[in-house]
Amino acid sequence: MTTPQDPHQAKADEFLSHSPLKAFIGGEWVSSLDGKTFTTRDPGTGIPIADVPAMGAKDVDRAVQAATRAFRTSGWAEMSAHERGALLHRLADEVEREKPVLARIEARDAGKILAQAEGDVQNFVDTLRYFIEISLHVQRRTPLAVRGHEATTVRLPWGPCGFIIPWNFPFLLVGWNISPALAAGNTVVIKPAEDTPLSTLYLGVLAKKAGIPDGVINVVTGYGESAGAALASHPGLKRMSFTGSPEVGRLVAESCARNLTPVKLELGGKGAAVIFDDVDVNATAARLVGAITFHTGQVCCDATRWLVHRKIYDRFVSECVGRLKSVAVGYQLDPASQMGPVVSAKQRERVLRYLEAGRAQGAELLLEGGAATVAGRDGFYVKPALMAGSLSNIAAREEIFGPVAYLAPFDSESQALEMANDTDYGLANSVWSADLDRARRVAERMVAGNSWINAHNVFPHGVPYAGINKSGMGGGVLSHETFLDYTRGLSIVRPL
């Protein structure tokens, strides 16, 4: 007796079966001008999923021109917030309706546990609806009290905006990036990561179905050094956003500076979790183990430095080691799996290389980690690892982007703060304590864009999320301020 095929998987497979897939420009599905393609693979098996266009500068120019035409002629920018919001609500509804299909595409392409992929798709929906709601209530015209003049400031959309999206949260971060831009009346060109372009391409299907005007949403696929570089340096863009590594972020910022294009950078992190001796050790260990294994540790704002009060250090280490040893590493679509693969062979080698480098510099391996094997799956799997020792160690200083945490003990609040702030990054930290006065005091003194108390990786809509120092610049996401970033100010003055 055969098992009935999952209808959602069947729909995902039907979309992927049209390989080579095409990019989405001006409401049309198009190949690269030179016909070149590249292959995206399932990280859990190493097996190819589909071929997609390897686009270059001329293809990117087509997309920016399409976005420019749509901004000028489609009526999108001139629509009332209610009209535009109605169309965006249709898009949100289509995405939510197709959540099981998108989640299966995302899980296969990015190596995500299916439930996590479903959560990412829902987050896209929630983010889009959040910014639609802001667009309906934001004050676009503000009278100014200026003696002898009638004066007003007006907020208007910029025009075509570019977005380069990373591979760790492909669909969720498309939502975080384009939702405020679209709700404000801009048009967008999206360049997904070459490792994970598939869910963003499927967004084109849903945009067409929802009736979004042609050219408002455009998706170009390709390598960072070709398509990504061409997008970042395109003089036709009015705003640019990049999420990824600090190294590439600098290149994007340099390209944007040449065109005086405002740029938003959300970059890497080396977050600290400061754990005081009054916590529930078991509960805190469970939360941080869950954080470091979520999406196999490929999370820029993760707590990867665990600073633990010396009084509970040994108990905390023992609890974490026991929990990490029991994490079920497996294929991302297997319901029994708790942690899937990393995104690529390259990323697996990066994680393993940092483990070796850290050990060579004297780090103690509290839990060895290393490559993992999954029966019947030739994918890119690693085991969770815990390291300890001097915080000058390379594994404590640099972003690994895998399920690896580095531990060190502290004796006092001031020492913990000094240790937490001793980093070039500045994205997100957390403080864990039953003493909320102390927790708030420490949280306020952490040098980062975000501090969390008795939790980690918390992103409610309405709270700005951004980095400082090596972790980013140019504004944050998920807040009212983000919406305003995608509007330009215009002053209108009449002498009386």
Side-chain angles (χ1 to χ4, degrees):
M1 182 176 179
T2 59
T3 302
Q5 186 178 14
D6 177 349
H8 305 303
Q9 188 63 57
K11 193 167 185 177
D13 291 343
E14 196 278 332
F15 170 71
L16 299 172
S17 70
H18 297 287
S19 183
L21 301 177
K22 294 184 177 182
F24 188 65
I25 296 177
E28 302 292 332
W29 294 99
V30 299
S31 303
S32 59
L33 288 171
D34 61 10
K36 291 182 179 178
T37 63
F38 64 94
T39 302
T40 181
R41 296 177 180 272
D42 181 334
T45 63
I47 296 172
I49 304 173
D51 293 336
V52 296
M55 294 185 139
K58 291 182 179 179
D59 301 293
V60 169
D61 184 61
R62 275 198 295 172
V64 175
Q65 288 188 33
T68 302
R69 282 193 303 273
F71 183 75
R72 292 174 178 171
T73 66
S74 72
W76 181 256
E78 291 78 25
M79 287 181 186
S80 70
H82 284 87
E83 291 175 302
R84 196 163 47 240
L87 285 170
L88 291 174
H89 269 303
R90 288 183 200 169
L91 178 59
D93 292 344
E94 289 294 338
V95 171
E96 192 163 42
R97 190 176 296 114
E98 298 270 8
K99 180 165 67 173
V101 177
L102 273 161
R104 281 156 178 78
I105 293 172
E106 188 86 326
R108 282 192 67 194
D109 203 24
K112 284 183 177 286
I113 299 296
L114 182 57
Q116 295 174 10
E118 289 174 342
D120 287 1
V121 177
Q122 187 61 50
N123 192 287
F124 176 105
V125 173
D126 296 341
T127 300
L128 185 53
R129 289 174 177 161
Y130 168 75
F131 282 108
I132 295 168
E133 196 65 21
I134 285 183
S135 74
L136 297 175
H137 297 100
V138 71
Q139 185 170 330
R140 294 176 184 268
R141 290 174 176 79
T142 305
L144 303 175
V146 181
R147 179 177 296 177
H149 298 80
E150 179 187 80
T152 307
T153 58
V154 182
R155 307 299 305 184
L156 300 167
W158 284 90
C161 303
F163 300 90
I164 299 177
I165 307 297
W167 47 257
N168 57 336
F169 288 88
F171 202 70
L172 178 148
L173 289 177
V174 166
W176 283 19
N177 278 272
I178 72 171
S179 293
L182 292 173
N186 300 282
T187 56
V188 303
V189 179
I190 311 164
K191 207 297 281 185
E194 56 263 33
D195 287 314
T196 55
L198 301 180
S199 60
T200 308
L201 288 174
Y202 199 76
L203 178 64
V205 175
L206 303 182
K208 196 79 172 174
K209 193 173 180 182
I212 302 298
D214 292 345
V216 169
I217 297 176
N218 305 275
V219 182
V220 295
T221 55
Y223 294 104
E225 59 268 25
S226 50
L231 186 60
S233 62
H234 200 289
L237 293 179
K238 301 305 179 184
R239 281 199 71 90
M240 183 69 207
S241 177
F242 170 82
T243 308
S245 71
E247 293 75 21
V248 179
R250 289 189 182 98
L251 298 176
V252 171
E254 290 171 6
S255 294
C256 290
R258 294 188 187 98
N259 295 319
L260 299 180
T261 303
V263 61
K264 184 191 298 285
L265 303 175
E266 201 274 281
L267 308 177
K270 195 68 179 177
V274 175
I275 304 149
F276 285 95
D277 58 341
D278 59 350
V279 300
D280 181 322
V281 170
N282 291 352
T284 305
R287 298 290 292 277
L288 287 172
V289 164
I292 201 64
T293 56
F294 182 78
H295 194 31
T296 320
Q298 299 167 121
V299 183
C300 57
C301 54
D302 229 339
T304 54
R305 295 178 297 144
W306 296 354
L307 312 177
V308 187
H309 197 285
R310 195 177 301 275
K311 288 182 179 179
I312 62 168
Y313 181 82
D314 290 339
R315 278 198 298 137
F316 186 80
V317 168
S318 177
E319 183 66 24
C320 291
V321 167
R323 289 179 178 274
L324 286 168
K325 282 182 176 179
S326 68
V327 171
V329 178
Y331 185 57
Q332 62 267 26
L333 293 175
D334 182 344
S337 299
Q338 296 173 304
M339 191 176 85
V342 292
V343 75
S344 64
K346 178 182 177 181
Q347 188 61 24
R348 179 174 60 182
E349 288 307 309
R350 175 187 175 93
V351 174
L352 300 180
R353 190 167 62 248
Y354 269 108
L355 291 175
E356 286 302 315
R359 180 158 52 183
Q361 290 190 5
E364 177 187 2
L365 286 177
L366 303 172
L367 182 64
E368 187 172 1
T373 58
V374 174
R377 308 285 186 180
D378 189 19
F380 314 125
Y381 299 96
V382 294
K383 302 173 187 175
L386 291 180
M387 310 179 81
S390 168
L391 292 180
S392 64
N393 190 287
I394 188 173
R397 304 295 304 177
E398 297 186 7
E399 187 176 40
I400 299 174
F401 231 54
V404 182
Y406 198 100
L407 286 82
F410 68 86
D411 294 298
S412 67
E413 180 180 316
S414 60
Q415 184 189 20
L417 271 165
E418 183 179 353
M419 294 163 72
N421 291 335
D422 184 18
T423 177
D424 295 331
Y425 292 95
L427 189 51
N429 300 309
S430 57
V431 54
W432 302 75
S433 176
D435 182 342
L436 293 184
D437 288 336
R438 174 170 62 185
R440 294 187 187 100
R441 183 171 64 244
V442 172
E444 289 182 4
R445 293 180 62 192
M446 287 176 160
V447 181
N450 309 275
S451 287
W452 296 307
I453 294 175
N454 294 331
H456 205 94
N457 295 340
V458 184
F459 310 103
H461 293 93
V463 177
Y465 169 80
I468 63 171
N469 300 334
K470 197 176 174 180
S471 291
M473 57 169 274
V477 295
L478 294 183
S479 70
H480 181 271
E481 289 83 357
T482 314
F483 180 88
L484 295 179
D485 283 345
Y486 287 97
T487 63
R488 61 180 179 85
L490 172 64
S491 297
I492 301 175
V493 182
R494 180 177 69 89
L496 298 177

